[in-house]
Amino acid sequence: MVQLRRPFAFLSLALLFGLPAAIAHKRAASENDAARAIHLLNRMTFGPRPGDKERVLSMGLEQWVAKQLHPESIDDRTLEVRLAPLRTLRMSPRELVENFPPQAVIRQVAEAKQGLPRDPEKRAIYQAQLVRYREKQDKKVGALDQNDMTPPVADPGALDQSRLLALAPDARVAQLLKMTPEEQVKFLASLRGPERDQFVEGMTPEQRETVTAMNSPQQVVNDELMAAKILRATYSERQLEEVMTDFWLNHFNVFIGKGADRYEISSYERDVIRPHALGKFEDLLDRTAASPAMLFYLDNWLSVGPNSDFATGIRRNPRGRRHYPGELPAGLESRRRSGLNENYGRELMELHTLGVNGGYTQKDVTEVAKVFSGWTLKQPREGGGFSFEERMHEPGEKIVLGHRIKDGGQKEGYQVLHLLAHHPSTARFIAGKLAMRFVSDTPPPALVERMANTFLKKDGDIGEVLKTMLASPEFWSPEAYHAKVKTPLEFVVSALRATQAEVSDAVVIVRNLQTMGMPLYGAQPPTGYSMKAAVWVSSSALLGRMNFAIRLAAGRIRGVETAPLPPSPGDQGRKAMEALRSLENNLLSGDVSAQTHETISARLDDPAISHRRLDDPVGPPDIALIEGLLLGSPEFQRR
Amino acid sequence: MITRRVFLRNHALTIIGTSVVPAFLRRAAFGATEGGVRGRRLVVIFQRGAADGLNIVVPHGEAAYYAMRPSIHIPRNAVLDLDGFFGLHPALSPLYPMWKDKHLAIVHAAGSPDPTRSHFDAQDFMESGTPGLKATEDGWLNRTIHSLPASNSAFRAVAMGATLPRILSGPQRALAISNLNDFGVGGRSPQATPLENSFEAMYAGSVDAILQGSARETFDAVKILKAANPEQYSPAPAANYPRGRFGESLKQLAQLIKANVGVEVAFADIGGWDHHVNEGGTEGQIANVLREFSQSLAALWIDLGNLAEDTVVITMSEFGRTAKENGNRGTDHGHANAMFVLGGPVRGGKVYGRWPGLDASQLYEGRDLALTTDFRTVVGEAVYRQLGNKDLMRVFPGFDGRPEKFLGLIA
């Protein structure tokens, strides 16, 4: 199946990773070492960059893995510099809502329940949204008088786009802020693609944010989150941490398109997932269970025990008023009845822990839902955090998987999570999924079993499970080499890394992933995205990859520049061949099939391909084209 | 009979706009080259997320329905009545003319018999066509093609979307198309681009079976598409596809069918049905998604013109939802559901299937609509009668789907 399979002297590395009597195979063929380094990089990172293989070899594979398992030991300042302008990444959900108000907040302001912020830029964002909000309201009231009702607005042409675009960045912002909110909305709507880019050119990140936010505040939050994902995957030196953060985000999937989650995922990734990506599974489970992102996504925040005080209190009160004074989670006050919501209870067992055949019943689902009733949110639409509401919690004992859970309020939940985190089904399910990510679509059962045992023995320590995997011959077997087809995210990022691309606008890359069927944070079902080849190798997906490869290499993706190849000496014909060889090394680690090599070298002579003019046979070879063909080749689709 | 009905309907359209005329003429022309064999098609639509069949085809004659759904029912006076007992959700009004013309049939209390309430498993079972059996590797729509007369068309089996769904995966070739307009490499051109030739050569010689196979199908399709140029078939004037992915999918599917590239089975899906919270009734979340759903299907129907005569569309969803509303004015995962069967040869205007009732004793596991028709009986009839594939044992292994059991949905 895989071309140029390089049989490793596998055992030697397995020995290095802790199997008994490590004999240093100094004589091991250097080619094998190189192949091992490439394999390791393909699996534990988002793809090797030119020079990575040499770095791993000089450091030693074991040492490299040890460092990656302790990301805090790796200097990542260059990445931090790239992320610094994206300030929403450092905000709490509440700050995000306040700075980039969703419709709910704008409605509050429109109904005078909340004032406008003082800061002029923030104020401008709010005012622009107020204009939009009122326009929408007017449309609802009736489209009849729409033309007469709206106040006279200066024609956007009269605002003189070109004059404004000619100003210095600061002056542009100042002019924009001077306009009436109606004028701002019209003006920004009148800017088309390139003019828009020109308008924000040279502005500080904050100024850019303001301009985007005047159009759509929410978009700033989402754009920065997604851009950060691309930048981290591409540039972080803590690659394993990024790979594992991506893995757990997909495992504990939350969909960005669902209401309040638009403002919660930044914090979810930063505070819940990343800090535990290489830690203990139970910590991940506890933190996701109590995270606003998950509570909202799987509706648990609305779940109310049928015999809870909240539910019965309402029924007892003839006037339909709340039995209890005090604040209840927003959105619940208006509800007449209350009940259990099983959504989280089911997915917790099916997708987060035991797996679908992990040995639970519908009865267990209902019992777990009772256990987690009362795990709710205060004002989720305004970035309010977790709260446990005793009044919503189902009282009494519960039986989960045959275990008696004593009536104990919030404690019950942690008891169940502990039970699930240490269940043998969970160990197998998580081990199997990790092996599917790192080894093959159908990992050998013996490997999964070994990893599951470590999971149980080492208290769900994810780093330890990975170490067991790396010490297993199955990881290093010829069958595993290049066995994984890259997902669109892995493909795109590995291409950026292989070409040492300079990404100045990652949002463009984000849009490309959308058309390849893998929008970031965009998996709607709680299963997340598949890791299997069959899902990602379709006609549309393949064409999408080839087009991306060609456009990336040709520098036709806005906001992305690939590093130019140093010119090589000699005549043009030789140069072309040398360029091909050198690119094969850089992009495919030299692992190129005869077919791919020959197709490209044959095409180098084709004027239609090489862009060479017929009367100029010694013109320079089209390096970008060679690069694009290699990135679109079958070899580059695997890792 | 049916031909006449379709003809009449299209005749009415020709008065509105003349663009159906070329389609009509074209069909006659191609009919000759195909030796008079009708190009029969089956289109499968998946409503992902478990659509609430009880609020879609409403049993308004059931007191229990109203008792169990105090805040999210569809009032009796709001439904589009079907037969005095069932009624359509008002947002399905674009489909009502098809019901009246007897081109739309409904099967209620249908679905997959497996008891799972997991979206993932239930979709998997409905697409593999073997409920309860996880080891099945291919999808039933892929197996359907196996026993059909050979065809060289790369477009014989098409899924609208960036990835190939489970239902169409398997040994028979099938295409995933997310957008007809950028189906190629290196920009649009009437001939193959040099880049396409290069990639084609590279992948054709690859020993990587999965990539090689997929690339071969892809480049065949690219060539056919360039020759057929489906963009010339813009929607018929009265076909108003709504904005959004589903409408766009069906619009492009209609272009493919009209371009006569040999589509026999097609698949599209629409998400947004998992209404655990604030489902809504005549308005709200379910009404919004139903509007998108029905407008898209109606537009496809109108757009296909005479070609609708040879087309059958079947809709399905992994399971239904709880008969009772939950504490959040939504519904949880349930069991049986309603399926739509739409098309020229469909014996429409009737709700098929035995209605199990909604009294507490009649509910499945005390909470959901019970299942009385296996979805394989419904799609099996279409596979057998519409596509002419008589080897149902192969399409649905282990399922007794003899023709005697058909509901009589398709003439």
Side-chain angles (χ1 to χ4, degrees):
Chain A
M1 241 232 287
V2 179
Q3 207 121 25
L4 275 185
R5 242 186 230 157
R6 295 194 174 167
F8 302 84
F10 294 96
L11 219 59
S12 62
L13 204 107
L15 291 173
L16 281 179
F17 277 101
L19 289 183
I23 308 150
H25 284 270
K26 284 261 158 83
R27 290 180 294 120
S30 62
E31 194 183 319
N32 266 332
D33 287 345
R36 277 191 219 105
I38 289 298
H39 184 59
L40 192 65
L41 284 162
N42 267 325
R43 297 305 166 89
M44 313 306 271
T45 76
F46 276 100
R49 298 166 297 187
D52 274 354
K53 177 180 69 182
E54 290 74 14
R55 275 187 284 275
V56 171
L57 284 172
S58 74
M59 189 189 272
L61 273 61
E62 200 180 5
Q63 179 59 25
W64 183 85
V65 170
K67 266 190 99 74
Q68 287 293 326
L69 284 171
H70 293 279
E72 69 287 351
S73 71
I74 302 170
D75 179 1
D76 218 4
R77 263 172 297 180
T78 44
L79 173 72
E80 278 153 28
V81 170
R82 286 179 192 271
L83 296 181
L86 311 176
R87 60 191 179 112
T88 64
L89 297 180
R90 297 179 292 278
M91 290 183 182
S92 70
R94 202 176 276 285
E95 287 169 321
L96 288 176
V97 167
E98 199 185 293
N99 282 279
F100 304 97
Q103 177 118 346
V105 171
I106 297 300
R107 196 188 309 124
Q108 297 270 318
V109 178
E111 290 166 4
K113 290 178 186 159
Q114 192 181 322
L116 279 170
R118 289 232 184 96
D119 174 82
E121 290 186 10
K122 231 194 246 184
R123 196 183 181 89
I125 295 171
Y126 273 70
Q127 281 173 329
Q129 294 317 302
L130 273 173
V131 171
R132 279 162 205 273
Y133 178 78
R134 294 205 172 108
E135 273 175 7
K136 259 193 218 160
Q137 293 301 312
D138 289 347
K139 267 185 208 155
K140 272 189 205 158
V141 171
L144 273 178
D145 302 326
Q146 214 190 342
N147 290 330
D148 303 330
M149 296 293 283
T150 38
V153 177
D155 172 27
L159 298 171
D160 201 358
Q161 252 186 39
S162 53
R163 195 180 56 81
L164 214 79
L165 290 176
L167 296 174
D170 280 344
R172 262 178 268 152
V173 176
Q175 284 294 318
L176 184 66
L177 294 180
K178 253 190 238 164
M179 295 179 194
T180 68
E182 288 80 8
E183 286 169 341
Q184 287 166 346
V185 169
K186 284 240 166 176
F187 174 76
L188 290 172
S190 77
L191 291 177
R192 298 273 164 261
E195 292 153 7
R196 232 186 122 62
D197 294 342
Q198 206 186 332
F199 185 72
V200 296
E201 183 92 50
M203 288 186 186
T204 65
E206 287 81 4
Q207 289 169 332
R208 267 176 197 245
E209 273 174 2
T210 305
V211 173
T212 307
M214 286 165 114
N215 251 346
S216 161
Q218 189 174 290
Q219 202 190 329
V220 176
V221 180
N222 289 2
D223 279 1
E224 293 195 356
L225 173 67
M226 293 179 192
K229 173 136 186 150
I230 298 293
L231 293 175
R232 284 177 183 280
T234 310
Y235 298 113
S236 176
E237 298 294 334
R238 301 169 179 175
Q239 280 284 301
L240 183 56
E241 184 184 53
E242 281 319 306
V243 166
M244 287 308 296
T245 301
D246 179 59
F247 176 87
W248 292 121
L249 269 172
N250 194 55
H251 181 81
F252 294 106
N253 183 50
V254 167
F255 175 51
I256 200 166
K258 182 163 176 174
D261 276 323
R262 295 186 175 97
Y263 289 86
E264 291 292 347
I265 296 188
S266 283
S267 155
Y268 184 62
E269 177 171 342
R270 178 189 63 210
D271 307 325
V272 175
I273 303 289
R274 183 169 287 108
H276 304 287
L278 287 161
K280 294 275 174 77
F281 180 74
E282 187 172 358
D283 290 334
L284 272 171
L285 202 57
D286 286 357
R287 300 298 309 275
T288 53
S291 70
M294 189 61 78
L295 287 166
F296 192 85
Y297 174 57
L298 291 179
D299 305 318
N300 197 76
W301 74 287
L302 293 167
S303 188
V304 176
N307 299 304
S308 66
D309 286 351
F310 179 67
T312 52
I314 281 177
R315 252 183 253 140
R316 267 189 241 118
N317 190 323
R319 293 211 193 130
R321 270 199 229 117
R322 285 200 318 268
H323 193 65
Y324 287 89
E327 195 191 354
L328 272 163
L332 269 179
E333 286 120 337
S334 59
R335 278 161 222 280
R336 273 182 298 139
R337 298 183 318 120
S338 307
L340 281 180
N341 194 306
E342 295 175 356
N343 212 4
Y344 178 69
R346 180 184 313 281
E347 309 304 8
L348 170 65
M349 290 191 280
E350 179 186 333
L351 299 173
H352 297 171
T353 58
L354 305 174
V356 72
N357 292 324
Y360 62 92
T361 62
Q362 171 63 37
K363 178 84 181 123
D364 287 319
V365 171
T366 310
E367 290 291 287
V368 171
K370 286 180 191 166
V371 164
F372 285 98
S373 56
W375 288 50
T376 188
L377 297 169
K378 286 219 153 118
Q379 302 165 308
R381 306 251 172 208
E382 286 152 54
F386 170 80
S387 95
F388 176 75
E389 290 293 333
E390 188 76 51
R391 289 170 291 176
M392 292 162 67
H393 184 68
E394 176 72 2
E397 184 181 271
K398 290 100 185 164
I399 308 278
V400 176
L401 302 169
H403 291 255
R404 216 169 277 278
I405 308 291
K406 275 204 208 128
D407 191 357
Q410 192 181 358
K411 267 201 328 219
E412 297 166 19
Y414 288 110
Q415 239 174 298
V416 166
L417 292 174
H418 183 77
L419 186 71
L420 291 171
H422 293 84
H423 197 284
S425 294
T426 301
R428 256 195 309 276
F429 184 58
I430 300 296
K433 230 173 145 176
L434 284 168
M436 199 187 279
R437 165 63 183 75
F438 288 102
V439 183
S440 84
D441 285 5
T442 48
L447 171 69
V448 176
E449 205 51 45
R450 213 174 301 130
M451 291 165 70
N453 282 338
T454 302
F455 186 98
L456 290 173
K457 251 187 274 169
K458 303 274 178 169
D459 192 25
D461 187 312
I462 298 148
E464 291 293 332
V465 176
L466 291 179
K467 274 195 223 163
T468 297
M469 179 185 79
L470 288 170
S472 295
E474 291 91 344
F475 180 83
W476 302 98
S477 76
E479 287 75 29
Y481 189 65
H482 274 193
K484 292 291 295 182
V485 166
K486 293 171 182 172
T487 65
L489 174 68
E490 289 163 355
F491 163 72
V492 162
V493 174
S494 65
L496 295 172
R497 285 172 64 81
T499 55
Q500 295 185 288
E502 184 53 44
V503 179
S504 56
D505 187 357
V507 174
V508 181
I509 300 291
V510 170
R511 269 184 233 127
N512 270 280
L513 280 169
Q514 226 154 13
T515 58
M516 288 185 208
M518 198 180 194
L520 295 178
Y521 308 95
Q524 196 170 358
T527 45
Y529 288 120
S530 169
M531 291 185 282
K532 291 195 174 186
V535 175
W536 300 113
V537 182
S538 69
S539 318
S540 268
L542 269 186
L543 293 173
R545 288 175 191 225
M546 292 169 190
N547 278 312
F548 180 83
I550 294 294
R551 289 191 299 122
L552 172 69
R556 292 214 312 273
I557 295 180
R558 192 173 59 75
V560 182
E561 264 178 63
T562 47
L565 208 75
S568 55
D571 69 86
Q572 300 296 354
R574 248 183 63 202
K575 266 191 195 170
M577 283 316 285
E578 271 166 22
L580 176 57
R581 287 278 179 220
S582 144
L583 284 167
E584 284 169 358
N585 266 324
N586 280 349
L587 305 178
L588 301 173
S589 314
D591 229 350
V592 67
S593 68
Q595 181 68 24
T596 295
H597 177 79
E598 275 155 28
T599 305
I600 299 178
S601 39
R603 294 294 194 267
L604 284 177
D605 297 328
D606 181 344
I609 278 279
S610 65
H611 290 190
R612 254 183 255 166
R613 297 209 330 255
L614 282 173
D615 54 359
D616 179 20
V618 290
D622 188 340
I623 306 271
L625 187 93
I626 303 174
E627 203 171 44
L629 288 170
L630 285 172
L631 293 175
S633 72
E635 290 89 324
F636 196 78
Q637 309 314 313
R638 290 191 173 264
R639 61 170 169 89
Chain B
M1 263 298 276
I2 283 140
T3 311
R4 193 178 64 86
R5 280 208 314 256
V6 173
F7 175 74
L8 285 176
R9 190 175 49 77
N10 283 313
H11 185 70
L13 277 176
T14 50
I15 299 166
I16 306 165
T18 49
S19 85
V20 278
V21 175
F24 180 78
L25 291 174
R26 259 180 32 74
R27 215 177 75 77
F30 276 99
T33 60
E34 287 165 5
V37 178
R38 287 202 305 179
R40 298 194 130 206
R41 279 169 301 275
L42 175 61
V43 178
V44 175
I45 308 286
F46 210 110
Q47 297 161 281
R48 293 196 192 274
D52 183 9
L54 291 174
N55 266 10
I56 295 174
V57 180
V58 180
H60 63 78
E62 278 269 8
Y65 165 79
Y66 291 98
M68 285 188 285
R69 299 187 165 206
S71 77
I72 57 161
H73 61 261
I74 313 300
R76 217 172 172 172
N77 59 12
V79 301
L80 307 168
D81 184 52
L82 298 175
D83 56 7
F85 183 81
F86 292 110
L88 290 179
H89 187 290
L92 292 172
S93 60
L95 297 179
Y96 204 34
M98 279 149 244
W99 170 270
K100 287 188 172 155
D101 290 345
K102 301 198 189 306
H103 283 304
L104 169 64
I106 288 161
V107 187
H108 219 320
S112 161
D114 191 86
T116 182
R117 289 192 182 88
S118 142
H119 291 298
F120 181 74
D121 271 2
Q123 289 183 20
D124 199 58
F125 289 153
M126 233 174 178
E127 293 186 69
S128 71
T130 57
L133 251 180
K134 296 206 168 183
T136 310
E137 287 192 340
D138 45 10
W140 68 262
L141 206 49
N142 191 286
R143 293 196 298 274
T144 292
I145 319 163
H146 180 88
S147 308
L148 292 179
S151 150
N152 294 323
S153 171
F155 290 90
R156 168 168 225 209
V158 184
M160 306 310 293
T163 56
L164 195 68
R166 175 83 159 92
I167 197 169
L168 258 180
S169 50
Q172 301 297 316
R173 51 198 253 170
L175 279 182
I177 298 179
S178 58
N179 188 350
L180 283 179
N181 300 325
D182 49 48
F183 199 75
V185 187
R188 287 191 206 172
S189 91
Q191 284 89 38
T193 65
L195 285 170
E196 281 162 359
N197 290 332
S198 295
F199 279 125
E200 189 179 5
M202 238 187 245
Y203 278 77
S206 173
V207 292
D208 189 327
I210 178 165
L211 289 169
Q212 193 256 1
S214 185
R216 190 188 60 232
E217 290 163 19
T218 306
F219 286 111
D220 283 357
V222 166
K223 282 177 214 152
I224 294 170
L225 209 57
K226 286 190 181 198
N229 187 19
E231 282 169 60
Q232 62 184 296
Y233 306 105
S234 49
N240 293 316
Y241 291 97
R243 288 170 61 122
R245 195 177 71 90
F246 186 59
E248 190 57 36
S249 289
L250 295 196
K251 183 169 111 189
Q252 297 206 356
L253 177 59
Q255 285 184 323
L256 273 182
I257 292 174
K258 289 195 280 184
N260 201 32
V261 290
V263 176
E264 289 175 60
V265 300
F267 177 87
D269 56 8
I270 169 170
W273 302 93
D274 198 13
H275 301 138
H276 286 278
V277 176
N278 283 339
E279 175 170 321
T282 52
E283 284 303 326
Q285 289 191 75
I286 191 163
N288 293 339
V289 66
L290 280 175
R291 219 165 275 133
E292 183 185 357
F293 175 74
S294 63
Q295 284 172 3
S296 302
L297 281 175
L300 173 72
W301 177 251
I302 293 165
D303 198 6
L304 285 180
N306 279 309
L307 294 165
E309 185 188 331
D310 309 324
T311 307
V312 168
V313 181
I314 299 186
T315 71
M316 60 187 69
S317 189
E318 64 265 36
F319 42 70
R321 309 192 69 82
T322 46
K324 216 174 134 191
E325 72 176 69
N326 65 19
N328 308 137
R329 299 188 187 192
T331 45
D332 291 323
H333 300 178
H335 196 50
N337 213 328
M339 295 172 75
F340 288 9
V341 185
L342 170 70
V346 171
R347 290 196 176 110
K350 181 179 165 188
V351 180
Y352 290 80
R354 187 176 67 76
W355 179 247
L358 290 180
D359 285 345
S361 63
Q362 295 166 324
L363 292 177
Y364 175 74
E365 296 185 350
R367 48 181 267 168
D368 309 326
L369 177 63
L371 187 137
T372 57
T373 304
D374 192 305
F375 80 102
R376 291 170 291 185
T377 305
V378 178
V379 291
E381 182 174 346
V383 168
Y384 190 98
R385 292 228 168 102
Q386 170 69 1
L387 294 175
N389 183 345
K390 310 251 188 300
D391 192 3
L392 289 183
M393 279 306 284
R394 187 182 184 108
V395 180
F396 296 113
F399 178 66
D400 179 12
R402 284 167 294 157
E404 300 90 278
K405 302 205 161 182
F406 290 165
L407 301 177
L409 288 158
I410 292 166

